[in-house]
Amino acid sequence: MNALAGSPDDCGPGGRQRADDAEAMVLANRPAADGYRLMTVRAGAAAATARPGQFFQLECPPAGDDRPYFRRPMSLYRADADGGVEFLYKVTGSGTRALARLGPGDQLRVLGPLGRGFALPPAARAVVLLGRGVGIATLAPLADAAAAAGLAVTALISARSPAHLLAADRLAAAGAAVVPLFDSDGGSAPARVERLLADLFAAGRLDVLYTCGSARLVALAQHLGRRLGFAGEVALEQQMACGLGMCFACVRDFVAADGGRVSRRVCWDGPVFPLDEVVP
Ligand SMILES: Cc1cc2nc3c(=O)[nH]c(=O)nc-3n(C[C@H](O)[C@H](O)[C@H](O)COP(=O)(O)OP(=O)(O)OC[C@H]3O[C@@H](n4cnc5c(N)ncnc54)[C@H](O)[C@@H]3O)c2cc1C
Ligand code: FES
């Protein structure tokens, strides 16, 4: 195992959390909803310290014609004290197809935890998680942390249809009030989501909103946040190479303090950013 920063109890440079590049063993890798899989690996001590919103760079061992060169970034879905880490992922291309072929006992290198995760402001009493598709994977551990801190948690989660809905049981088990929204019956239409959020705000159930990188959800949350006066954070997805802040493959524009634009690295400065700084 290669330690990238400090001793086991240390933070790395700039207060960064220690990350390990560990040889991890697959414990389980089974289908979740349609097109998605849930993989559990045993990844070592640093992995167990991962916080909601952080991610890992997963080696995707060559399988058949799929020979992915770069590691693929995956959000923490769940971590336990024994170094067990879960990832909920969508099979999209060569990297995730290779991951999908791994079975119990197989090994892969897992680098992390990486990046800056979500923050729960001390004054918050009620939070809303607004997620869609696999972005919900990033929000699920935040439900655990918020509930453990005594906050009321509402999760508005949307999907194409009930067969594509992810993590509803996981969020409910964490103590969240889960509101599923489907494209198939028009329930996830922006106007409806906006109404639901405004109702939650009026009922005192929305102090801070957390969402994932869907441009449509970010724009909607920004618009409503400005109108009603709530803050929020966004977990972004961006194609990455190193995941460590060194290659600048993941740079994108953000809103600067003076209203102009500033370039930031999603892997190093994020992947979680303040809602009002994200350019949808
Ligand atoms: C911080 C972070 C956390 C993530 N967490 C998860 C997660 O928990 N579960 C999950 O399923 N996915 C997650 N992703 C996205 C995941 O990394 C990509 O889906 C994966 O790299 C695709 O690899 P592939 O080789 O299977 O597909 P590729 O063949 O590389 O790509 C398939 C399609 O996905 C697009 N794509 C590839 N990489 C990304 C990316 N990083 N962001 C957006 N689009 C991409 C490509 O343009 C292409 O259209 C995360 C991404 C980031 C940056
Ligand atoms: S992926 Fe290399 S700097 Fe972000």
Side-chain angles (χ1 to χ4, degrees):
M1 187 186 296
N2 301 324
L4 295 182
S7 71
D9 301 322
D10 278 342
C11 282
R16 290 276 166 171
Q17 197 174 351
R18 173 197 166 107
D20 280 341
D21 188 11
E23 189 74 38
M25 189 171 72
V26 176
L27 302 179
N29 189 12
R30 56 178 185 275
D34 195 16
Y36 296 89
R37 296 182 78 85
L38 182 66
M39 181 168 73
T40 312
V41 304
R42 174 94 43 234
T49 68
R51 296 192 290 255
Q54 291 191 299
F55 69 100
F56 292 79
Q57 283 282 70
L58 305 191
E59 177 194 18
C60 306
D65 290 339
D66 292 320
R67 313 193 75 76
Y69 180 73
F70 290 112
R71 295 189 184 192
R72 301 296 196 261
M74 288 293 158
S75 301
L76 169 75
Y77 186 60
R78 195 196 308 263
D80 65 41
D82 300 331
V85 186
E86 284 181 13
F87 302 100
L88 178 65
Y89 64 99
K90 183 177 184 184
V91 181
T92 49
S94 63
T96 45
R97 269 198 309 268
L99 285 181
R101 297 216 200 163
L102 296 173
D106 287 341
Q107 302 212 313
L108 71 160
R109 293 202 78 84
V110 170
L111 169 63
L114 300 171
R116 295 187 185 279
F118 295 106
L120 289 168
R125 295 186 180 288
V127 300
V128 171
L129 316 184
L130 177 64
R132 179 170 178 85
V134 81
I136 295 165
T138 311
L139 298 171
L142 181 61
D144 298 328
L151 307 182
V153 183
T154 307
L156 302 188
I157 52 174
S158 68
R160 269 193 286 155
S161 71
H164 296 92
L165 191 68
L166 289 172
D169 293 347
R170 159 100 172 78
L171 288 161
V178 178
V179 183
L181 308 166
F182 303 116
D183 301 352
S184 49
D185 61 7
S188 62
R192 171 143 194 269
V193 175
E194 194 166 333
R195 252 194 334 273
L196 287 169
L197 289 174
D199 289 349
L200 287 166
F201 182 81
R205 291 190 59 96
L206 168 49
D207 296 331
V208 188
L209 183 139
Y210 299 91
T211 188
C212 47
S214 152
R216 198 182 70 168
L217 292 183
V218 170
L220 186 154
Q222 285 178 330
H223 165 74
L224 205 62
R226 275 184 215 116
R227 184 155 74 79
L228 300 178
F230 60 77
E233 289 187 323
V234 183
L236 289 178
E237 285 189 13
Q238 190 81 0
Q239 275 184 299
M240 293 183 178
C242 71
L244 293 165
M246 294 185 293
C247 71
F248 289 74
C250 63
V251 167
R252 60 183 271 174
D253 277 356
F254 289 84
V255 180
D258 64 1
R261 291 287 182 267
V262 61
S263 297
R264 295 206 182 121
R265 293 160 293 177
V266 171
C267 72
W268 185 254
D269 301 306
V272 175
F273 293 88
L275 178 62
D276 53 6
E277 291 180 16
V278 174
V279 178

